[in-house]
Amino acid sequence: MNDPLPRALYSASQVRDLDARLIAAGTPGIELMHRAAHAAWRALRRRWPEAAEITVLAGHGNNAGDGYLMAVLARKAGWQVKVLAVGEPTALRADAALALAEARAAAVDIEPWSETAPLQGVLVDALLGTGARGEVREPYASAIAAINASGQPVLAVDLPSGLCADTGRVLGAAVRADLCVTFIGLKLGLLTGEGPALTGELVFDGLQASAEILAQVPSSAQRLADEQLPRLAPRSRTAHKGSFGQVLVIGGDLGTGGAALLASEAALRSGAGMVSLATRPEHVVASLVRQPEVMCSGVESTYGLGALIERADVLVIGPGLGQAPWGRSLLSITGQCEMPQVWDADALNLLATGAVELPPRCVITPHPGEAARLLGCSTAEVQADRPAAVRALAERYRCVALLKGAGTLIADAEGRLALCDRGHPAMATAGLGDVLSGLIGALLAQHLDLFEAACLAAWLHARAGERMGSLGRGLCASELIPAIRQILEEQSPCLK
């Protein structure tokens, strides 16, 4: 599978550090600016080969310098070119001022921005880039609004203006781009929060930064990429069901029995040696009809659950559990167990109340609302800084935390952070989290560690969503399960 983006993800300050190190190593800043302009110009022509006109909206930082040099390239190619200076050109300094001088020498038409200025051709957003601080102010907010209302194709230079490079938060207003060309280091905020909705097609150009320079600045996170994902070992021809663990799924209160059935089926189809289900007695028949391979036990209370737990290697608790006395009592027992566990859904909501404590060796899989309850803040605060939220969850609960949503994030208590940028909008439907929890349980049963299992599960789940989501809206969670099985076999073949 072709994946043109790098694995390392950086903050804005880290990319500025890399930029400074490139310059210190002998590459002039204006040369880097020329490389950026050429990269963006190439991407523009590939995306819109029939275009013959651009309007560059330029701010007053290095991002504006890239825009002025793009205008020079378009002018030399015979295109209709106009630069609308939203930032005062006289405020440009250093390399950006040199870029402005080149544009003037090439007779590029440069005019002051006004709300009545026509926006024609491909619009080049060279307003703010990674230099934005705080909420976007005027006149930039009006310029961004005009870009978004224009109906014209939009290329963002380095990052859509108004998008926080570190968190994916919108700083009051942000450009909605069709194409974004980003440089040197891939910014974390492009791939999580609101980043995926604003970036459009993402193109990366390293500006010829050497591996030696990149190695000098540790990245803040790693993007999950096929060639570097954890893999399950091939199975011996003498393997048996006991070699790959028994997953016990606990959940499915009255009215929500399907969630536990989805988690159980996902665990079975993802390679667990055996799968048991502890659920309401009313759901036993449905489980036997749906998936007779799952060993389903009806439990009225904690009586009898202990024996099921003793036989299990991994617990998955929460899908359809509810917060009534039945679910609370079952959760209270698992909180005292030491085997690897996956906590999801109402297990997390009960954890947030303080009614139970999270045992060691756990993966938690909250959506933003559940994460907010676990952290004692609002959902908006979680979404405003998803990387900080998932790190806080991992540290507070000493676990592996998987924060669901666009740009799913996985963190552990040791400081590792991974991001999954795959997925499909058709996945916005109920039940997919139950499938994910069962999948993680199966990978744990097959001897991956907590962080590896969470990372591989997030990627498999998202890739299955892409495959099935390509058929359109109306995706059912159960449809992901056979796709996950197929993709897992492609990624980690059962036999050598």
Side-chain angles (χ1 to χ4, degrees):
M1 183 178 60
N2 183 34
D3 187 349
L5 297 177
R7 187 168 182 237
L9 299 174
Y10 296 92
S11 67
S13 63
Q14 287 171 327
V15 174
R16 285 193 290 272
D17 189 0
L18 286 170
D19 186 80
R21 290 171 186 269
L22 284 168
I23 293 170
T27 304
I30 189 64
E31 171 61 22
L32 291 174
M33 199 169 281
H34 274 284
R35 292 177 187 177
H38 277 279
W41 174 239
R42 288 193 299 270
L44 186 154
R45 287 181 298 155
R46 282 194 302 268
R47 178 66 183 268
W48 297 288
E50 304 301 320
E53 182 175 10
I54 65 169
T55 301
V56 178
L57 291 96
H60 60 257
N62 284 346
N63 198 241
D66 298 338
Y68 280 111
L69 292 179
M70 282 189 69
V72 172
L73 294 171
R75 170 80 172 167
K76 289 180 178 178
W79 287 31
Q80 293 291 319
V81 181
K82 180 177 289 186
V83 176
L84 297 175
V86 181
E88 175 55 50
T90 58
L92 293 173
R93 296 290 182 268
D95 298 320
L98 295 176
L100 171 63
E102 289 193 35
R104 285 174 169 160
V108 170
D109 183 7
I110 303 172
E111 299 178 5
W113 151 259
S114 75
E115 294 189 31
T116 60
L119 300 180
Q120 298 173 320
V122 178
L123 308 185
V124 176
D125 164 27
L127 291 170
L128 298 172
T130 62
R133 297 289 183 275
E135 299 292 289
V136 174
R137 298 187 295 272
E138 295 293 353
Y140 293 96
S142 293
I144 289 171
I147 291 172
N148 291 341
S150 69
Q152 299 297 109
V154 179
L155 179 149
V157 177
D158 204 22
L159 150 121
S161 291
L163 180 70
C164 177
D166 297 344
T167 67
R169 179 171 73 92
V170 171
L171 302 172
V175 167
R176 186 176 295 275
D178 300 291
L179 172 65
C180 176
V181 186
T182 194
F183 313 116
I184 302 179
L186 188 56
K187 290 80 179 170
L188 178 59
L190 290 168
L191 300 174
T192 194
E194 292 299 314
L198 298 175
T199 299
E201 179 189 354
L202 182 59
V203 173
F204 173 78
D205 194 291
L207 305 188
Q208 303 173 38
S210 68
E212 291 76 15
I213 293 292
L214 294 174
Q216 294 173 16
V217 180
S219 61
S220 60
Q222 295 292 310
R223 191 178 66 88
L224 299 180
D226 179 45
E227 67 278 4
Q228 293 162 312
L229 283 167
R231 278 174 162 74
L232 296 176
R235 294 190 174 186
S236 165
R237 292 187 179 273
T238 59
H240 56 85
K241 63 185 180 183
S243 304
F244 307 107
Q246 181 171 165
V247 175
L248 172 61
V249 176
I250 304 170
D253 202 352
L254 297 177
T256 53
L261 299 184
L262 285 168
S264 301
E265 184 178 352
L268 188 66
R269 292 290 189 177
S270 303
M274 293 174 281
V275 177
S276 301
L277 171 60
T279 188
R280 283 282 195 177
E282 291 86 345
H283 300 142
V284 171
V285 172
S287 177
L288 290 173
V289 171
R290 181 180 180 88
Q291 200 74 54
E293 298 88 350
V294 172
M295 296 173 285
C296 185
S297 299
V299 293
E300 292 279 13
S301 65
T302 56
Y303 179 78
L305 185 60
L308 297 175
I309 290 176
E310 285 179 6
R311 295 196 294 269
D313 299 294
V314 177
L315 302 183
V316 175
I317 185 162
L321 184 70
Q323 299 183 54
W326 181 82
R328 296 171 70 94
S329 65
L330 300 187
L331 185 64
S332 67
I333 290 185
T334 64
Q336 302 168 25
C337 301
E338 296 185 356
M339 72 274 286
Q341 299 185 39
V342 182
W343 284 36
D344 185 32
D346 278 321
L348 301 178
N349 290 325
L350 289 169
L351 177 63
T353 68
V356 292
E357 291 188 3
L358 192 72
R361 302 175 67 194
C362 272
V363 178
I364 63 173
T365 60
H367 59 55
E370 292 160 346
R373 289 187 280 278
L374 288 166
L375 293 172
C377 63
S378 69
T379 303
E381 288 174 302
V382 168
Q383 291 295 83
D385 195 340
R386 287 170 54 82
V390 75
R391 283 188 168 115
L393 287 167
E395 184 176 348
R396 177 176 297 190
Y397 293 98
R398 307 305 297 173
C399 66
V400 169
L402 185 154
L403 179 58
K404 293 182 281 198
T408 290
L409 293 164
I410 305 101
D412 68 5
E414 285 67 51
R416 287 184 292 180
L417 180 65
L419 180 144
C420 179
D421 62 334
R422 308 305 298 253
H424 193 284
M427 297 174 73
T429 187
L432 269 73
D434 306 314
V435 171
L436 177 63
S437 63
L439 171 57
I440 298 172
L443 297 178
L444 290 172
Q446 293 170 90
H447 316 303
L448 291 185
D449 69 29
L450 297 175
F451 189 76
E452 288 178 333
C455 288
L456 180 55
W459 186 87
L460 290 168
H461 188 260
R463 288 286 292 116
E466 290 176 343
R467 188 166 294 184
M468 302 310 298
S470 66
L471 301 175
R473 55 175 60 84
L475 175 66
C476 292
S478 58
E479 293 177 302
L480 253 66
I481 296 173
I484 288 170
R485 184 186 181 200
Q486 182 180 21
I487 295 168
L488 179 56
E489 176 60 19
E490 294 167 4
Q491 192 264 349
S492 294
C494 188
L495 289 174
K496 289 183 180 179

